[in-house]
Amino acid sequence: MADTDFFLPSQYVQQIAGQMTRMGVRLPDWLLQLQRPGLNGELEVQHLSFADFQRLVREAIALTGEPAFGLLVGERLLVHSHGILGYAAVNSLSLRQALQLMERYFLVRTSLLSVQVVTDGALTRLVFSEPHPLGDIRMPVMEAVILTIKNLVDYVTLGVCQVATVSFPFEAPAHADLARELFGCEVRYGGDWTGFALSSEHLDQPLRSGNPEALREAEQLCQQELAKLTRQQTLSARVRRLMLEKQGGFPTLQVSARLLNMTPRTLHRRLQDEGTSYRDILEDIRHHLAVEHIKAGKLTLQEVAYMLGYDDLSNFRRAFKRWEGVAPSAFRA
């Protein structure tokens, strides 16, 4: 992930550092050297690169000896930790509105994951995706983010709408029982999606904390923050996000250009200026999703190929062998 595409407010970094301190661990010298006085005069890390963030998470787990470190951080991230997005969610008039706000403005809190609301009959899922591969910090990041957002949903609904299931794409860790205790619901591992599901019947029930005027002001601030971040983000990251939002039907170069309010030629030229192309981004996303689907083992190879836009299984097999050096069937075995 390019640092221009990485965004994480300093208060989240402080929460990680605070949890390390609470567990009796001395903060690494390199992190202390990055601290600068914040607006309130307290020292904080204001500009952390993605590589430094990965290093911090790895060292937090290694130094504390706690593989469930992500869950412990997520449990301590309260509503006020999520800034204007948390405030907007609390003042939403319904749970559906709160979930749609998270889907639309999640980027104002972090670029580590993106969110999509998927309603399928009686269940509605909040599905989290990786715009860029998280690598070996995937599990703690996903555990922290999904737990804190699940707790936010519990807070705004006052427990009326219970989360039914939490799903993770990785295999069950040794601390799976702790995860089930903290989530307070069924937690499934090895799935083909990441996030949580809840009953659709409660989505439109009025929330007691709803405040139309406060919500309007909060959403305007979210729009301003999102516009600022979008301007700072590289074009390739914006194209990548568009593709991840449309998994199973990736937008063409022409459609992507239209969505980004530019001509296909301009989009092609600007991506070239960033050292990439539409085809390269699509290839990278297909590679990443193919590996994840095959690791999960929930779909047949034919289904994976279809989801990634291949109309011929043999074309998918050839592409996968080019990416990983082995056929998808061998990789799965």
Side-chain angles (χ1 to χ4, degrees):
M1 180 188 299
D3 289 337
T4 52
D5 302 329
F6 172 62
F7 174 69
L8 187 72
S10 60
Q11 57 262 46
Y12 292 142
V13 179
Q14 293 303 110
Q15 288 284 354
I16 295 173
Q19 183 61 34
M20 293 175 69
T21 302
R22 280 187 291 273
M23 297 178 74
V25 170
R26 184 180 182 277
L27 297 181
D29 290 338
W30 66 266
L31 183 68
L32 295 173
Q33 292 171 5
L34 293 178
Q35 291 184 335
R36 300 290 184 274
L39 295 177
N40 58 4
E42 295 182 0
L43 291 176
E44 59 183 36
V45 179
Q46 298 175 349
H47 301 289
L48 199 70
S49 69
F50 179 62
D52 284 339
F53 175 71
Q54 288 180 304
R55 181 182 180 185
L56 174 60
V57 175
R58 292 189 198 106
E59 292 190 13
I61 294 172
L63 292 172
T64 62
E66 177 54 82
F69 187 84
L71 287 173
L72 301 183
V73 172
E75 179 67 10
R76 293 190 62 88
L77 289 172
L78 305 179
V79 174
H80 63 79
S81 303
H82 306 305
I84 194 61
L85 181 58
Y87 182 67
V90 168
N91 286 285
S92 297
L93 306 184
S94 67
L95 178 56
R96 184 188 302 277
Q97 193 173 45
L99 295 180
Q100 289 172 342
L101 285 169
M102 290 183 210
E103 180 181 46
R104 192 176 308 132
Y105 299 116
F106 195 76
L107 181 60
V108 305
R109 299 315 297 161
T110 182
S111 60
L112 289 170
L113 297 173
S114 60
V115 177
Q116 185 178 14
V117 179
V118 179
T119 299
D120 183 16
L123 285 179
T124 291
R125 295 182 297 158
L126 200 63
V127 180
F128 294 78
S129 302
E130 300 170 70
H132 299 270
L134 295 172
D136 60 355
I137 64 167
R138 184 187 196 202
M139 182 172 69
V141 168
M142 286 184 168
E143 287 179 331
V145 171
I146 295 170
L147 179 57
T148 188
I149 298 301
K150 185 265 181 185
N151 288 343
L152 176 59
V153 168
D154 289 343
Y155 183 89
V156 300
T157 63
L158 298 178
V160 172
C161 184
Q162 297 287 331
V163 169
T165 307
V166 171
S167 174
F168 288 113
F170 40 80
E171 295 304 312
H175 56 268
D177 288 341
L178 175 62
R180 295 184 179 98
E181 179 181 346
L182 292 177
F183 279 104
C185 65
E186 180 183 10
V187 180
R188 298 175 181 173
Y189 294 94
D192 57 2
W193 64 285
T194 305
F196 56 79
L198 36 78
S199 174
S200 300
E201 67 175 319
H202 299 292
L203 291 184
D204 297 308
Q205 290 184 3
L207 296 178
R208 292 174 59 184
S209 60
N211 184 325
E213 185 173 339
L215 173 64
R216 187 164 48 251
E217 294 176 356
E219 188 165 9
Q220 287 176 351
L221 291 173
C222 284
Q223 289 173 345
Q224 292 172 11
E225 287 193 28
L226 182 61
K228 179 181 177 182
L229 285 170
T230 301
R231 287 193 298 269
Q232 295 172 344
Q233 201 176 43
T234 62
L235 183 59
S236 56
R238 293 160 64 188
V239 171
R240 188 181 184 92
R241 188 172 293 274
L242 284 177
M243 290 183 181
L244 285 167
E245 289 171 354
K246 297 291 183 181
Q247 291 183 34
F250 300 113
T252 63
L253 173 66
Q254 289 72 22
V255 172
S256 298
R258 191 75 173 263
L259 290 169
L260 295 169
N261 195 29
M262 62 183 68
T263 66
R265 176 176 290 186
T266 299
L267 176 57
H268 176 71
R269 177 176 51 78
R270 289 184 56 185
L271 288 175
Q272 278 190 320
D273 291 342
E274 293 183 7
T276 187
S277 68
Y278 171 87
R279 184 184 295 274
D280 289 342
I281 297 171
L282 178 59
E283 180 90 347
D284 185 59
I285 286 178
R286 279 176 162 170
H287 178 191
H288 171 64
L289 293 178
V291 169
E292 294 307 320
H293 284 308
I294 291 175
K295 281 182 177 178
K298 301 295 183 180
L299 302 176
T300 66
L301 294 182
Q302 185 73 52
E303 289 169 332
V304 174
Y306 175 79
M307 287 190 67
L308 298 181
Y310 290 94
D311 53 10
D312 188 333
L313 181 57
S314 60
N315 289 337
F316 170 64
R317 286 196 176 107
R318 280 194 292 271
F320 194 89
K321 193 167 184 178
R322 185 175 67 251
W323 297 328
E324 293 293 326
V326 295
S329 55
F331 183 89
R332 172 169 282 176

